[in-house]
Every structure is written in C-alpha cells, then in structure tokens.
Amino acid sequence: MKDATTRERIIATAQRMNALGINQGASGNVSARVEGGFIVTPTGLPYEELQSADLVHMTMDGNKKGRRAPSSEWRFHRDIYDSRPDIGAVVHTHSAFATTLACLSRPIPAFHYEVAFAGGNDIRCAPYKTFGTQELSEVALEALQGRRACLLAHHGAIAIGSDLDDALRLADKVEALARLYWQTLQVEEPTILDDVEMARIVERFRHYGVR
Ligand SMILES: [Zn+2]
C-alpha cells in the first residue's frame, strides 16, 4: 500500500475513534506498518485537525521523518511491529471503561466468550510504567504474548491487528467488554468461563475468520 493511502487511513481511523467514543482528547495514538518502519500519529494534535503531513514516519531504529514529533508512545508501536510480523496496525486508547479497569490493575477475565476476540482466555493488564518509556513497551509486549489486546495499568489499552480496521474493531470491542465487565462487577463477581470452553471459542473465531 502506498504511504499516502496509509496516511489517509490512519487519519480516518483516528477520527473514527472519536466517533466511536473511545478516544479521550488527544491521548490515544494510531499507527500502521509501512516498508521499513511505520507511520504514527503526532503528539498533542487533536484528530479533527490532523493533516497527512502531520503524521510521522518512523524507522525501526527510532529515527523520524516529518515536521511533527511522533506520539510519545512510539516505542511500543515500534516494538510490536518488530516482534509481531503478523501485525500491521496498532491502536492505543485511554477509553473510559478499559482505563477504569486498568486503574484498578484489573485484567478482563473470561466473563464473556467474546474476550476470545483478543486471542485467549483473558485480556491481561500490564504493570504500571511511565508513559513513553522502553520499560512500558517491555511490559506491554509481555501482556500481549499470544494476545491482540492488553490493558496498561493506570494508563489505558492497546489493540493490535492485521490492518487498521482490524485493530480499531478490537479496540472498540475491548472497550465494550470492559464496560460489560464493569457493569457485572456492580452486581457481583461474574463466574468465569473455563479454559477448555475459551480454547474452543478461540478456535471457532479462527475458523470463521472472525478476528
Ligand atoms: Zn497513552
């Protein structure tokens, strides 16, 4: 895909985050893999004002091309592309319900079968590390082992996918699941689906191409 098309799709994805209500101000960020690196949203610019030239092209060794500074979280974007060849896009949010659970350092267990959308029987919560640091990137990668989404304690959430649509769909799903889990917790701790059932659901999602 041409870089110009990728830039347009990143802007569309970022603006769609606003429409879905999963973005908080300019606190999230979006990127997509391109030849030799990735293109990421800049730091501190509202999505409705984003122009193609505001996006920042980063190489895998951390050099940037562009007039803006990249999102302060570029490190975990880079490290995800580096370690997960199947991944083509990353969506990071501070969406309200996912972040509420993250502030409680609370992973999302298999309280609902759709947790399997993230690739397994839970959506882990990485321990707190300062935003923008290599340490945060490392704990995020660990929480994403065998998964396509995780929470970041006292911070937000990450969803990854084969392309931008895929990652955005999952970011929205994670927020919906976080909200449902939060709601069930208001009544009582929900029972959790067992690992055998969740493995079956993961397999079904794979079989039906639902990701
Ligand atoms: Zn963040």
Side-chain angles (χ1 to χ4, degrees):
M1 194 188 299
K2 286 208 174 92
D3 281 11
T5 313
T6 303
R7 284 170 186 261
E8 278 168 29
R9 291 195 180 170
I10 290 173
I11 292 173
T13 302
Q15 293 177 348
R16 188 98 185 95
M17 286 166 70
N18 286 340
L20 290 169
I22 59 171
N23 186 46
Q24 300 285 310
S27 57
N29 39 68
V30 181
S31 72
R33 188 195 290 274
V34 291
E35 188 78 27
F38 60 99
I39 294 174
V40 63
T41 47
T43 189
L45 207 64
Y47 290 156
E48 54 273 18
E49 291 172 24
L50 275 185
Q51 302 288 324
S52 187
D54 292 323
L55 300 180
V56 187
H57 187 293
M58 302 284 300
T59 58
M60 293 306 268
D61 54 12
N63 289 312
K64 69 139 194 154
K65 278 183 269 179
R67 65 186 183 194
R68 302 262 180 200
S71 159
S72 57
E73 302 293 13
W74 64 267
R75 284 181 181 79
F76 66 63
H77 291 256
R78 190 253 332 257
D79 294 345
I80 288 166
Y81 294 125
D82 199 33
S83 64
R84 302 277 293 257
D86 56 318
I87 295 304
V90 176
V91 170
H92 167 55
T93 72
H94 295 186
S95 59
F97 286 91
T99 305
T100 299
L101 295 175
C103 289
L104 298 164
S105 296
R106 202 154 184 153
I108 305 178
F111 78 105
H112 189 293
Y113 77 91
E114 285 191 334
V115 166
F117 272 122
N121 62 357
D122 61 359
I123 297 170
R124 302 187 191 103
C125 183
Y128 179 77
K129 301 287 173 189
T130 309
F131 79 91
T133 60
Q134 192 58 39
E135 289 73 31
L136 177 62
S137 177
E138 280 160 23
V139 294
L141 279 191
E142 206 168 306
L144 285 168
Q145 285 270 346
R147 302 285 186 275
R148 298 190 313 113
C150 72
L151 305 181
L152 304 173
H154 308 282
H155 183 155
I158 299 175
I160 61 181
S162 55
D163 58 25
L164 285 160
D165 286 347
D166 195 28
L168 180 66
R169 202 178 308 126
L170 185 57
D172 191 40
K173 180 60 75 182
V174 168
E175 177 63 3
L177 288 166
R179 181 178 186 159
L180 289 171
Y181 184 46
W182 166 257
Q183 286 175 176
T184 63
L185 289 172
Q186 308 313 302
V187 183
E188 59 184 80
E189 288 270 354
T191 55
I192 302 303
L193 298 169
D194 65 48
D195 291 352
V196 173
E197 176 60 9
M198 286 303 281
R200 184 183 297 143
I201 301 296
V202 168
E203 203 44 52
R204 280 205 172 200
F205 283 172
R206 196 173 294 142
H207 181 70
Y208 289 110
V210 180
R211 292 175 306 153

